[in-house]
Amino acid sequence: MFMKQLKFLMVAFTLLMGVSFTSCLNDDAGESMYDGIRYVRTVMGSYFVDLYGNTYHPTMASVTEMEAQGFKMSGTDLAQIAFKNVEDTPATKAEGGTFTPQDYRIKLVSAIAVDSYSTKHVSSVENMEAEAMPETAPIVTLESTDNYGQTYKPRMYGAEMLVLPISWKMENKEEMLKQHTMELVYIEDESNESSTELVFYLRHNKGTDTKTDVFAVRNKAYDVKKIMSDFKEKHGSYPTTIRIKAKIDMDGAKLPEKYTDYTLSLIHISEPTRLRCIS
């Protein structure tokens, strides 16, 4: 039964890691099941907003349907939704280099919440060891590959959220998912005046779980908006790279002494880009 749950988590993980795109509605294959897929933030538990300022107002019936499948809109921060437009609404336009946000009334086709957390600030590595959550287990990887051979890596949601596809090993029981906590830590003294890079430490606490029977994969998003804003104010621009340091063991059993680095390049993160169809 739990292995079926893990397969479901992988399917959910695959959908969540898809890059936001507009669907190609007039292709040879006919009309798509949805008009778009978006990463969005929820507002007051009643509607969504994307990075471009577009708002998405779902029908109550479709929200009820999604909640029956386990999606809780009122308790969700970052989510990925697939939707059909209920009413014709002009697509987001760029006039004179400026995007004009639009309002959409939509029917949700799917909705999956991304686990969202705050990021811990400490002044030094020594303080991290003293103040942060105890690190009791390794992470298997931050670059997971699904059954179709697609590899997913850390990515940014605008300049707001750092999204990490985290894989670890655990006991073959569904309730053990709640025992595993992942904390992202930012160390202030690792950024100097000439820095072009932000460095984060990802720590894993396994709680009461003592086994490594099965793999688990979950998308987890960390709020880094203030850190990014402070960096831009201090250096005049956003960082060009983000480095995530994690203690990696492919067997998921032994906590190594040294960190493994994962690097994420940031290109024009402050500038909205046109959405494109993905074939």
Side-chain angles (χ1 to χ4, degrees), residues 223-241:
D223 189 338
V224 295
K225 184 175 182 179
K226 187 177 187 307
I227 297 170
M228 294 286 286
S229 178
D230 290 347
F231 188 99
K232 184 178 181 181
E233 182 177 353
K234 180 178 180 180
H235 299 280
S237 62
Y238 286 124
T240 58
T241 57

Side-chain angles (χ1 to χ4, degrees), residues 4 9 32 66 68 80-81 107 118 132 142 177 180 212 214 259 268:
K4 292 182 179 179
L9 290 176
S32 172
M66 293 302 105
Q80 190 176 45
I81 60 172
K107 175 184 177 181
S118 59
L142 293 182
L177 281 169
H180 292 261
T212 56
V214 293
Y259 288 97
H268 305 305

Side-chain angles (χ1 to χ4, degrees), residues 3 17 20 26 42 86 89 104 144 157 187 237 250 268:
M3 293 307 294
M17 288 309 296
S20 297
N26 298 318
T42 59
V86 175
T89 306
Y104 296 86
S144 298
Y157 173 78
I187 299 178
S237 62
M250 298 303 292
H268 305 305

